[in-house]
Amino acid sequence: MAGVVTTRRGRRPAGGVPLTFEVIAEALRERIRSGGLRPGDALPTQAVLMREFGASSLTVQKAMALLKREGWAVSRPGKGAFVAHHDHADDAGDLDGPEEATAPATGTAARVEALERALAEASRQIAELRGRVEALESDNGERGR
């Protein structure tokens, strides 16, 4: 049994492969980010996601719960789950329905964190490009002498 890692139920070792519900949630996030799913659009049904990912209903439910907690999705009882209106999450007057007004505050915090990470990465890339430009300019200056 050497080499077998046991963990508490629902946990995985650090650096492990993403769990199926995380894969489903990320796939849906990517569809939203890319514009394939827009605010107010219905998310795929549980049955569709089960077939698409070969997942159980519980796994799909966990993925949807995660998206709702993060503010990516909202539920409309009797109608299904829909892409949240991220641009208007804090302005209840612009929302389509009362269910969307209950989007979790953690969704806003998660979006702010994601934007901060993206900004930090963009700043890093700009600094790297600036360094390359300066190096090229100094090389051209040396050659011109």
Side-chain angles (χ1 to χ4, degrees), residues 50-70:
M50 287 170 61
R51 278 193 305 274
E52 182 177 342
F53 291 94
S56 70
S57 62
L58 180 60
T59 298
V60 171
Q61 289 170 14
K62 286 174 71 173
M64 295 306 291
L66 177 61
L67 291 172
K68 290 171 191 173
R69 250 190 339 269
E70 293 175 342

mmCIF file with all atom_site columns, all heavy atoms in Angstrom, residues 50-70:
data_model
loop_
_atom_site.group_PDB
_atom_site.id
_atom_site.type_symbol
_atom_site.label_atom_id
_atom_site.label_alt_id
_atom_site.label_comp_id
_atom_site.label_asym_id
_atom_site.label_entity_id
_atom_site.label_seq_id
_atom_site.pdbx_PDB_ins_code
_atom_site.Cartn_x
_atom_site.Cartn_y
_atom_site.Cartn_z
_atom_site.occupancy
_atom_site.B_iso_or_equiv
_atom_site.pdbx_formal_charge
_atom_site.auth_seq_id
_atom_site.auth_comp_id
_atom_site.auth_asym_id
_atom_site.auth_atom_id
_atom_site.pdbx_PDB_model_num
ATOM 1   N N   . MET A 1 50 ? -24.724 16.292 -17.291 1.00 0.00 ? 50 MET A N   1
ATOM 2   C CA  . MET A 1 50 ? -24.412 14.907 -16.919 1.00 0.00 ? 50 MET A CA  1
ATOM 3   C C   . MET A 1 50 ? -23.935 14.137 -18.139 1.00 0.00 ? 50 MET A C   1
ATOM 4   O O   . MET A 1 50 ? -22.941 13.407 -18.067 1.00 0.00 ? 50 MET A O   1
ATOM 5   C CB  . MET A 1 50 ? -25.642 14.238 -16.290 1.00 0.00 ? 50 MET A CB  1
ATOM 6   C CG  . MET A 1 50 ? -25.958 14.732 -14.897 1.00 0.00 ? 50 MET A CG  1
ATOM 7   S SD  . MET A 1 50 ? -27.563 14.144 -14.276 1.00 0.00 ? 50 MET A SD  1
ATOM 8   C CE  . MET A 1 50 ? -27.306 12.373 -14.279 1.00 0.00 ? 50 MET A CE  1
ATOM 9   N N   . ARG A 1 51 ? -24.635 14.301 -19.272 1.00 0.00 ? 51 ARG A N   1
ATOM 10  C CA  . ARG A 1 51 ? -24.234 13.605 -20.500 1.00 0.00 ? 51 ARG A CA  1
ATOM 11  C C   . ARG A 1 51 ? -22.903 14.135 -21.022 1.00 0.00 ? 51 ARG A C   1
ATOM 12  O O   . ARG A 1 51 ? -22.017 13.376 -21.396 1.00 0.00 ? 51 ARG A O   1
ATOM 13  C CB  . ARG A 1 51 ? -25.314 13.765 -21.577 1.00 0.00 ? 51 ARG A CB  1
ATOM 14  C CG  . ARG A 1 51 ? -26.466 12.805 -21.453 1.00 0.00 ? 51 ARG A CG  1
ATOM 15  C CD  . ARG A 1 51 ? -27.340 12.801 -22.701 1.00 0.00 ? 51 ARG A CD  1
ATOM 16  N NE  . ARG A 1 51 ? -27.826 14.120 -23.077 1.00 0.00 ? 51 ARG A NE  1
ATOM 17  C CZ  . ARG A 1 51 ? -28.940 14.688 -22.597 1.00 0.00 ? 51 ARG A CZ  1
ATOM 18  N NH1 . ARG A 1 51 ? -29.676 14.043 -21.717 1.00 0.00 ? 51 ARG A NH1 1
ATOM 19  N NH2 . ARG A 1 51 ? -29.306 15.884 -23.005 1.00 0.00 ? 51 ARG A NH2 1
ATOM 20  N N   . GLU A 1 52 ? -22.773 15.456 -21.062 1.00 0.00 ? 52 GLU A N   1
ATOM 21  C CA  . GLU A 1 52 ? -21.571 16.065 -21.627 1.00 0.00 ? 52 GLU A CA  1
ATOM 22  C C   . GLU A 1 52 ? -20.303 15.666 -20.881 1.00 0.00 ? 52 GLU A C   1
ATOM 23  O O   . GLU A 1 52 ? -19.261 15.412 -21.491 1.00 0.00 ? 52 GLU A O   1
ATOM 24  C CB  . GLU A 1 52 ? -21.712 17.589 -21.611 1.00 0.00 ? 52 GLU A CB  1
ATOM 25  C CG  . GLU A 1 52 ? -20.537 18.318 -22.208 1.00 0.00 ? 52 GLU A CG  1
ATOM 26  C CD  . GLU A 1 52 ? -20.725 19.830 -22.252 1.00 0.00 ? 52 GLU A CD  1
ATOM 27  O OE1 . GLU A 1 52 ? -21.873 20.310 -22.145 1.00 0.00 ? 52 GLU A OE1 1
ATOM 28  O OE2 . GLU A 1 52 ? -19.705 20.522 -22.386 1.00 0.00 ? 52 GLU A OE2 1
ATOM 29  N N   . PHE A 1 53 ? -20.381 15.615 -19.552 1.00 0.00 ? 53 PHE A N   1
ATOM 30  C CA  . PHE A 1 53 ? -19.184 15.346 -18.747 1.00 0.00 ? 53 PHE A CA  1
ATOM 31  C C   . PHE A 1 53 ? -19.148 13.929 -18.184 1.00 0.00 ? 53 PHE A C   1
ATOM 32  O O   . PHE A 1 53 ? -18.199 13.576 -17.490 1.00 0.00 ? 53 PHE A O   1
ATOM 33  C CB  . PHE A 1 53 ? -19.082 16.364 -17.608 1.00 0.00 ? 53 PHE A CB  1
ATOM 34  C CG  . PHE A 1 53 ? -18.784 17.753 -18.096 1.00 0.00 ? 53 PHE A CG  1
ATOM 35  C CD1 . PHE A 1 53 ? -19.811 18.658 -18.340 1.00 0.00 ? 53 PHE A CD1 1
ATOM 36  C CD2 . PHE A 1 53 ? -17.485 18.153 -18.353 1.00 0.00 ? 53 PHE A CD2 1
ATOM 37  C CE1 . PHE A 1 53 ? -19.548 19.932 -18.807 1.00 0.00 ? 53 PHE A CE1 1
ATOM 38  C CE2 . PHE A 1 53 ? -17.206 19.423 -18.821 1.00 0.00 ? 53 PHE A CE2 1
ATOM 39  C CZ  . PHE A 1 53 ? -18.240 20.312 -19.057 1.00 0.00 ? 53 PHE A CZ  1
ATOM 40  N N   . GLY A 1 54 ? -20.175 13.134 -18.475 1.00 0.00 ? 54 GLY A N   1
ATOM 41  C CA  . GLY A 1 54 ? -20.219 11.777 -17.927 1.00 0.00 ? 54 GLY A CA  1
ATOM 42  C C   . GLY A 1 54 ? -20.237 11.803 -16.408 1.00 0.00 ? 54 GLY A C   1
ATOM 43  O O   . GLY A 1 54 ? -19.597 10.984 -15.757 1.00 0.00 ? 54 GLY A O   1
ATOM 44  N N   . ALA A 1 55 ? -20.959 12.762 -15.847 1.00 0.00 ? 55 ALA A N   1
ATOM 45  C CA  . ALA A 1 55 ? -20.940 12.989 -14.407 1.00 0.00 ? 55 ALA A CA  1
ATOM 46  C C   . ALA A 1 55 ? -22.282 12.603 -13.776 1.00 0.00 ? 55 ALA A C   1
ATOM 47  O O   . ALA A 1 55 ? -23.308 12.543 -14.461 1.00 0.00 ? 55 ALA A O   1
ATOM 48  C CB  . ALA A 1 55 ? -20.651 14.460 -14.121 1.00 0.00 ? 55 ALA A CB  1
ATOM 49  N N   . SER A 1 56 ? -22.253 12.412 -12.484 1.00 0.00 ? 56 SER A N   1
ATOM 50  C CA  . SER A 1 56 ? -23.477 12.106 -11.736 1.00 0.00 ? 56 SER A CA  1
ATOM 51  C C   . SER A 1 56 ? -24.251 13.394 -11.481 1.00 0.00 ? 56 SER A C   1
ATOM 52  O O   . SER A 1 56 ? -23.715 14.497 -11.603 1.00 0.00 ? 56 SER A O   1
ATOM 53  C CB  . SER A 1 56 ? -23.124 11.449 -10.402 1.00 0.00 ? 56 SER A CB  1
ATOM 54  O OG  . SER A 1 56 ? -22.529 12.406 -9.537  1.00 0.00 ? 56 SER A OG  1
ATOM 55  N N   . SER A 1 57 ? -25.499 13.238 -11.083 1.00 0.00 ? 57 SER A N   1
ATOM 56  C CA  . SER A 1 57 ? -26.313 14.419 -10.780 1.00 0.00 ? 57 SER A CA  1
ATOM 57  C C   . SER A 1 57 ? -25.735 15.182 -9.599  1.00 0.00 ? 57 SER A C   1
ATOM 58  O O   . SER A 1 57 ? -25.732 16.418 -9.598  1.00 0.00 ? 57 SER A O   1
ATOM 59  C CB  . SER A 1 57 ? -27.765 14.024 -10.505 1.00 0.00 ? 57 SER A CB  1
ATOM 60  O OG  . SER A 1 57 ? -27.847 13.183 -9.380  1.00 0.00 ? 57 SER A OG  1
ATOM 61  N N   . LEU A 1 58 ? -25.203 14.485 -8.614  1.00 0.00 ? 58 LEU A N   1
ATOM 62  C CA  . LEU A 1 58 ? -24.611 15.153 -7.452  1.00 0.00 ? 58 LEU A CA  1
ATOM 63  C C   . LEU A 1 58 ? -23.397 15.986 -7.868  1.00 0.00 ? 58 LEU A C   1
ATOM 64  O O   . LEU A 1 58 ? -23.215 17.115 -7.403  1.00 0.00 ? 58 LEU A O   1
ATOM 65  C CB  . LEU A 1 58 ? -24.211 14.132 -6.379  1.00 0.00 ? 58 LEU A CB  1
ATOM 66  C CG  . LEU A 1 58 ? -23.584 14.713 -5.117  1.00 0.00 ? 58 LEU A CG  1
ATOM 67  C CD1 . LEU A 1 58 ? -24.547 15.677 -4.429  1.00 0.00 ? 58 LEU A CD1 1
ATOM 68  C CD2 . LEU A 1 58 ? -23.191 13.605 -4.172  1.00 0.00 ? 58 LEU A CD2 1
ATOM 69  N N   . THR A 1 59 ? -22.592 15.465 -8.765  1.00 0.00 ? 59 THR A N   1
ATOM 70  C CA  . THR A 1 59 ? -21.410 16.189 -9.238  1.00 0.00 ? 59 THR A CA  1
ATOM 71  C C   . THR A 1 59 ? -21.822 17.464 -9.965  1.00 0.00 ? 59 THR A C   1
ATOM 72  O O   . THR A 1 59 ? -21.247 18.535 -9.740  1.00 0.00 ? 59 THR A O   1
ATOM 73  C CB  . THR A 1 59 ? -20.564 15.282 -10.152 1.00 0.00 ? 59 THR A CB  1
ATOM 74  O OG1 . THR A 1 59 ? -20.122 14.159 -9.387  1.00 0.00 ? 59 THR A OG1 1
ATOM 75  C CG2 . THR A 1 59 ? -19.368 16.013 -10.718 1.00 0.00 ? 59 THR A CG2 1
ATOM 76  N N   . VAL A 1 60 ? -22.835 17.364 -10.812 1.00 0.00 ? 60 VAL A N   1
ATOM 77  C CA  . VAL A 1 60 ? -23.323 18.540 -11.536 1.00 0.00 ? 60 VAL A CA  1
ATOM 78  C C   . VAL A 1 60 ? -23.907 19.546 -10.547 1.00 0.00 ? 60 VAL A C   1
ATOM 79  O O   . VAL A 1 60 ? -23.680 20.757 -10.664 1.00 0.00 ? 60 VAL A O   1
ATOM 80  C CB  . VAL A 1 60 ? -24.345 18.140 -12.617 1.00 0.00 ? 60 VAL A CB  1
ATOM 81  C CG1 . VAL A 1 60 ? -25.026 19.355 -13.215 1.00 0.00 ? 60 VAL A CG1 1
ATOM 82  C CG2 . VAL A 1 60 ? -23.665 17.318 -13.711 1.00 0.00 ? 60 VAL A CG2 1
ATOM 83  N N   . GLN A 1 61 ? -24.645 19.066 -9.551  1.00 0.00 ? 61 GLN A N   1
ATOM 84  C CA  . GLN A 1 61 ? -25.218 19.954 -8.536  1.00 0.00 ? 61 GLN A CA  1
ATOM 85  C C   . GLN A 1 61 ? -24.122 20.698 -7.779  1.00 0.00 ? 61 GLN A C   1
ATOM 86  O O   . GLN A 1 61 ? -24.252 21.887 -7.489  1.00 0.00 ? 61 GLN A O   1
ATOM 87  C CB  . GLN A 1 61 ? -26.090 19.166 -7.558  1.00 0.00 ? 61 GLN A CB  1
ATOM 88  C CG  . GLN A 1 61 ? -27.382 18.681 -8.170  1.00 0.00 ? 61 GLN A CG  1
ATOM 89  C CD  . GLN A 1 61 ? -28.117 17.700 -7.275  1.00 0.00 ? 61 GLN A CD  1
ATOM 90  O OE1 . GLN A 1 61 ? -27.818 17.560 -6.090  1.00 0.00 ? 61 GLN A OE1 1
ATOM 91  N NE2 . GLN A 1 61 ? -29.077 17.000 -7.852  1.00 0.00 ? 61 GLN A NE2 1
ATOM 92  N N   . LYS A 1 62 ? -23.025 20.000 -7.469  1.00 0.00 ? 62 LYS A N   1
ATOM 93  C CA  . LYS A 1 62 ? -21.906 20.656 -6.776  1.00 0.00 ? 62 LYS A CA  1
ATOM 94  C C   . LYS A 1 62 ? -21.281 21.735 -7.655  1.00 0.00 ? 62 LYS A C   1
ATOM 95  O O   . LYS A 1 62 ? -20.931 22.817 -7.176  1.00 0.00 ? 62 LYS A O   1
ATOM 96  C CB  . LYS A 1 62 ? -20.849 19.621 -6.369  1.00 0.00 ? 62 LYS A CB  1
ATOM 97  C CG  . LYS A 1 62 ? -21.269 18.759 -5.197  1.00 0.00 ? 62 LYS A CG  1
ATOM 98  C CD  . LYS A 1 62 ? -20.263 17.655 -4.903  1.00 0.00 ? 62 LYS A CD  1
ATOM 99  C CE  . LYS A 1 62 ? -18.993 18.201 -4.315  1.00 0.00 ? 62 LYS A CE  1
ATOM 100 N NZ  . LYS A 1 62 ? -18.076 17.137 -3.862  1.00 0.00 ? 62 LYS A NZ  1
ATOM 101 N N   . ALA A 1 63 ? -21.161 21.470 -8.945  1.00 0.00 ? 63 ALA A N   1
ATOM 102 C CA  . ALA A 1 63 ? -20.605 22.465 -9.867  1.00 0.00 ? 63 ALA A CA  1
ATOM 103 C C   . ALA A 1 63 ? -21.504 23.694 -9.923  1.00 0.00 ? 63 ALA A C   1
ATOM 104 O O   . ALA A 1 63 ? -21.023 24.832 -9.867  1.00 0.00 ? 63 ALA A O   1
ATOM 105 C CB  . ALA A 1 63 ? -20.439 21.858 -11.267 1.00 0.00 ? 63 ALA A CB  1
ATOM 106 N N   . MET A 1 64 ? -22.804 23.477 -10.003 1.00 0.00 ? 64 MET A N   1
ATOM 107 C CA  . MET A 1 64 ? -23.739 24.604 -10.071 1.00 0.00 ? 64 MET A CA  1
ATOM 108 C C   . MET A 1 64 ? -23.739 25.375 -8.755  1.00 0.00 ? 64 MET A C   1
ATOM 109 O O   . MET A 1 64 ? -23.793 26.609 -8.764  1.00 0.00 ? 64 MET A O   1
ATOM 110 C CB  . MET A 1 64 ? -25.154 24.100 -10.401 1.00 0.00 ? 64 MET A CB  1
ATOM 111 C CG  . MET A 1 64 ? -25.261 23.483 -11.789 1.00 0.00 ? 64 MET A CG  1
ATOM 112 S SD  . MET A 1 64 ? -24.676 24.556 -13.119 1.00 0.00 ? 64 MET A SD  1
ATOM 113 C CE  . MET A 1 64 ? -25.929 25.802 -13.084 1.00 0.00 ? 64 MET A CE  1
ATOM 114 N N   . ALA A 1 65 ? -23.653 24.687 -7.645  1.00 0.00 ? 65 ALA A N   1
ATOM 115 C CA  . ALA A 1 65 ? -23.606 25.363 -6.342  1.00 0.00 ? 65 ALA A CA  1
ATOM 116 C C   . ALA A 1 65 ? -22.358 26.239 -6.258  1.00 0.00 ? 65 ALA A C   1
ATOM 117 O O   . ALA A 1 65 ? -22.411 27.366 -5.748  1.00 0.00 ? 65 ALA A O   1
ATOM 118 C CB  . ALA A 1 65 ? -23.633 24.343 -5.207  1.00 0.00 ? 65 ALA A CB  1
ATOM 119 N N   . LEU A 1 66 ? -21.242 25.739 -6.764  1.00 0.00 ? 66 LEU A N   1
ATOM 120 C CA  . LEU A 1 66 ? -20.003 26.515 -6.766  1.00 0.00 ? 66 LEU A CA  1
ATOM 121 C C   . LEU A 1 66 ? -20.163 27.774 -7.616  1.00 0.00 ? 66 LEU A C   1
ATOM 122 O O   . LEU A 1 66 ? -19.793 28.875 -7.191  1.00 0.00 ? 66 LEU A O   1
ATOM 123 C CB  . LEU A 1 66 ? -18.849 25.657 -7.290  1.00 0.00 ? 66 LEU A CB  1
ATOM 124 C CG  . LEU A 1 66 ? -17.485 26.328 -7.418  1.00 0.00 ? 66 LEU A CG  1
ATOM 125 C CD1 . LEU A 1 66 ? -16.996 26.829 -6.055  1.00 0.00 ? 66 LEU A CD1 1
ATOM 126 C CD2 . LEU A 1 66 ? -16.477 25.359 -8.024  1.00 0.00 ? 66 LEU A CD2 1
ATOM 127 N N   . LEU A 1 67 ? -20.723 27.641 -8.808  1.00 0.00 ? 67 LEU A N   1
ATOM 128 C CA  . LEU A 1 67 ? -20.926 28.799 -9.682  1.00 0.00 ? 67 LEU A CA  1
ATOM 129 C C   . LEU A 1 67 ? -21.846 29.827 -9.033  1.00 0.00 ? 67 LEU A C   1
ATOM 130 O O   . LEU A 1 67 ? -21.623 31.030 -9.146  1.00 0.00 ? 67 LEU A O   1
ATOM 131 C CB  . LEU A 1 67 ? -21.489 28.362 -11.027 1.00 0.00 ? 67 LEU A CB  1
ATOM 132 C CG  . LEU A 1 67 ? -20.538 27.571 -11.921 1.00 0.00 ? 67 LEU A CG  1
ATOM 133 C CD1 . LEU A 1 67 ? -21.269 27.036 -13.142 1.00 0.00 ? 67 LEU A CD1 1
ATOM 134 C CD2 . LEU A 1 67 ? -19.348 28.416 -12.331 1.00 0.00 ? 67 LEU A CD2 1
ATOM 135 N N   . LYS A 1 68 ? -22.859 29.366 -8.339  1.00 0.00 ? 68 LYS A N   1
ATOM 136 C CA  . LYS A 1 68 ? -23.783 30.282 -7.662  1.00 0.00 ? 68 LYS A CA  1
ATOM 137 C C   . LYS A 1 68 ? -23.084 30.985 -6.507  1.00 0.00 ? 68 LYS A C   1
ATOM 138 O O   . LYS A 1 68 ? -23.233 32.196 -6.325  1.00 0.00 ? 68 LYS A O   1
ATOM 139 C CB  . LYS A 1 68 ? -25.018 29.531 -7.177  1.00 0.00 ? 68 LYS A CB  1
ATOM 140 C CG  . LYS A 1 68 ? -25.903 29.077 -8.320  1.00 0.00 ? 68 LYS A CG  1
ATOM 141 C CD  . LYS A 1 68 ? -26.998 28.159 -7.824  1.00 0.00 ? 68 LYS A CD  1
ATOM 142 C CE  . LYS A 1 68 ? -27.706 27.511 -9.003  1.00 0.00 ? 68 LYS A CE  1
ATOM 143 N NZ  . LYS A 1 68 ? -28.671 26.489 -8.562  1.00 0.00 ? 68 LYS A NZ  1
ATOM 144 N N   . ARG A 1 69 ? -22.301 30.235 -5.733  1.00 0.00 ? 69 ARG A N   1
ATOM 145 C CA  . ARG A 1 69 ? -21.561 30.831 -4.608  1.00 0.00 ? 69 ARG A CA  1
ATOM 146 C C   . ARG A 1 69 ? -20.597 31.899 -5.091  1.00 0.00 ? 69 ARG A C   1
ATOM 147 O O   . ARG A 1 69 ? -20.387 32.911 -4.437  1.00 0.00 ? 69 ARG A O   1
ATOM 148 C CB  . ARG A 1 69 ? -20.768 29.740 -3.870  1.00 0.00 ? 69 ARG A CB  1
ATOM 149 C CG  . ARG A 1 69 ? -21.268 29.410 -2.521  1.00 0.00 ? 69 ARG A CG  1
ATOM 150 C CD  . ARG A 1 69 ? -20.352 28.511 -1.698  1.00 0.00 ? 69 ARG A CD  1
ATOM 151 N NE  . ARG A 1 69 ? -19.374 27.698 -2.374  1.00 0.00 ? 69 ARG A NE  1
ATOM 152 C CZ  . ARG A 1 69 ? -19.581 26.451 -2.784  1.00 0.00 ? 69 ARG A CZ  1
ATOM 153 N NH1 . ARG A 1 69 ? -20.738 25.864 -2.603  1.00 0.00 ? 69 ARG A NH1 1
ATOM 154 N NH2 . ARG A 1 69 ? -18.617 25.778 -3.376  1.00 0.00 ? 69 ARG A NH2 1
ATOM 155 N N   . GLU A 1 70 ? -19.972 31.664 -6.238  1.00 0.00 ? 70 GLU A N   1
ATOM 156 C CA  . GLU A 1 70 ? -18.991 32.603 -6.790  1.00 0.00 ? 70 GLU A CA  1
ATOM 157 C C   . GLU A 1 70 ? -19.651 33.763 -7.533  1.00 0.00 ? 70 GLU A C   1
ATOM 158 O O   . GLU A 1 70 ? -18.965 34.672 -7.971  1.00 0.00 ? 70 GLU A O   1
ATOM 159 C CB  . GLU A 1 70 ? -18.052 31.861 -7.753  1.00 0.00 ? 70 GLU A CB  1
ATOM 160 C CG  . GLU A 1 70 ? -17.163 30.856 -7.068  1.00 0.00 ? 70 GLU A CG  1
ATOM 161 C CD  . GLU A 1 70 ? -16.325 30.061 -8.059  1.00 0.00 ? 70 GLU A CD  1
ATOM 162 O OE1 . GLU A 1 70 ? -16.664 30.028 -9.272  1.00 0.00 ? 70 GLU A OE1 1
ATOM 163 O OE2 . GLU A 1 70 ? -15.344 29.457 -7.625  1.00 0.00 ? 70 GLU A OE2 1
#
